[in-house]
């Protein structure tokens, strides 16, 4: 029989929408659920690994503190052809949060994936350097340059396995909770104006509006892209990847069903809208709260 309070958590890929993972984790813990293991892909690997390390509050403060985070400074643009961003600056900041940590030193079992694109093979990380694994799993194709480990190049784990249900090792014993960041439009939640404590969510500062305006030609929201019949090459690639992730995620769920599925709409935010982190955290909280209320009411 499965434990009602012990959770196997699966955190999917989906760029900035992955900040909803933070809210999901917060609510699970607040409601008395014990997260016994986590598997993650791409941003799911980032959030899941940082939680397993015990540094999620620090990461949340960093990503939500738009007043001090200089996004321009973190975007070390490159024209190498392997990615618009080298990734050295942003991952250098993340390394300060992750630290020099091995999988074996984590507070709970954690697994993530990345793809050796030359061999076309998925690699599962469950030992060795946590930061190296997160860096590899989070290397979004065309956006961030591939990570190099042992002379091999790795890209985003979501390319082959955006919702890594199959990485879990205790799924038969625990309540399996999966967070899909590539759900259909009906999962959309109107952006909340306040957080769960009643505080106003951080609004986009003026400099970020200018940044967003300049980047629009590269990273459009799902809604805008769907209305644009003449997509640019990068827009078209991003849209194609989203569709692929959507289909693969649901095929994965057919083979490895979740006891509780949290769905974050693709329309909620585009890949690069990390300035909306506080809002997305709250959306994760809302979705997780609704799901647990339904689950617990059905059991009572």
């Amino acid at each position: 029989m499965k434990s009602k309070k012990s959770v196997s958590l699966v955190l999917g890929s989906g760029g900035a929408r992955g900040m909803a993972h933070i809210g999901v984790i917060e609510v699970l813990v607040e409601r008395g659920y014990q997260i016994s293991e986590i598997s993650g892909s791409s941003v799911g690997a980032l959030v899941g690994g940082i939680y397993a390390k015990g540094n999620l509050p620090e990461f949340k403060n960093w990503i939500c503190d738009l007043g001090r985070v200089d996004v321009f400074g973190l975007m070390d643009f490159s024209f190498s052809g392997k990615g618009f961003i080298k990734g050295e600056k942003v991952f250098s900041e993340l390394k300060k949060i992750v630290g020099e940590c091995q999988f074996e030193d984590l507070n709970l079992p954690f697994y993530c994936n990345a793809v050796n694109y030359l061999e076309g093979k998925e690699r599962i990380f469950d030992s060795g350097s946590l930061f190296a694994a997160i860096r590899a799993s989070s290397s979004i194709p065309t956006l961030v340059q591939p990570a190099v480990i042992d002379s091999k190049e790795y890209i985003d784990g979501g390319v082959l396995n955006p919702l890594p249900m199959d990485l879990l090792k205790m799924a038969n014993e625990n309540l399996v909770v999966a967070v899909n960041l590539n759900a259909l439009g009906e999962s959309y939640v109107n952006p909340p104006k306040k957080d769960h404590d009643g505080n106003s969510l951080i609004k986009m500062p003026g400099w970020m509006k200018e940044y967003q305006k300049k980047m629009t030609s590269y990273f459009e929201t799902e809604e805008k892209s769907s209305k644009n019949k003449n997509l640019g090459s990068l827009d078209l690639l991003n849209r194609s990847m989203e569709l692929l992730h959507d289909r693969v995620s649901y095929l994965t769920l057919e083979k490895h069903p979740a006891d509780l599925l949290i769905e974050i709409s693709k329309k909620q935010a585009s890949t690069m809208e990390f300035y909306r982190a506080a809002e997305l955290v709250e959306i994760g909280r809302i979705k997780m709260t609704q799901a647990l209320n339904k689950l617990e009411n059905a059991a009572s």
Side-chain angles (χ1 to χ4, degrees), residues 119-135:
E119 298 177 1
K121 295 181 180 179
E122 179 185 24
R123 174 173 172 178
I124 309 304
F125 293 89
D126 57 7
S127 63
S129 169
L130 174 65
F131 176 76
I134 290 174
R135 169 68 176 88

Side-chain angles (χ1 to χ4, degrees), residues 95-106:
K95 191 171 186 178
K96 295 177 184 178
I97 297 173
V98 176
E100 297 291 345
C101 177
Q102 304 294 304
F103 275 76
E104 294 79 2
D105 300 325
L106 297 175

